[in-house]
Amino acid sequence: MAAKVKSRPVSHKTKSQQAKSKPAATKTKAKAAAAIIEPEPLPETWHVPPMTKEECLERIQLLGVRVGNYIRFMNGIDNVKGTSEEARQRALTAFYDRLLLLERELGRIQEDLQLG
């Protein structure tokens, strides 16, 4: 004997109408919550250079995601509870300085490769 299945009500709203009907606060809270999640440490095996070009490119991609997450976190620094304005400013300054150094180094690597 087949089991009866209760059907779900059908929404006749378009995707854009459904998106508009969602409260904006939910999106903001989700972003703030996502920013607070601490990343997992890199595996110990990452301290050994990758063996293949594909493995190296995969690691670069994953590191790019991690750096993007750090940037998103810093953009939401006002949502971090329990820190003073002075501590936030010190963190922003240190983050900016290191990111600037990283960008310069990566730019040099790219330039060296393009020059041959």
Side-chain angles (χ1 to χ4, degrees), residues 11 13-24 26-27:
S11 174
K13 292 181 180 178
T14 65
K15 286 184 179 181
S16 63
Q17 289 171 329
Q18 289 173 351
K20 289 178 185 176
S21 66
K22 292 181 182 176
T26 304
K27 291 179 183 176

Side-chain angles (χ1 to χ4, degrees), residues 1 11 16-17 19 25 35 37 44 55 58 61-63 71 74 78-79 83 89 91 106-107 109-110 112 114:
M1 181 169 170
S11 174
S16 63
Q17 289 171 329
I37 296 173
E44 286 294 320
E55 185 181 2
E58 182 180 315
Q61 185 70 29
L62 291 170
L63 288 168
I71 291 169
M74 294 306 285
D78 289 334
N79 298 327
T83 57
Q89 187 59 50
L106 295 177
I109 293 168
Q110 179 180 343
D112 289 346
Q114 289 172 328

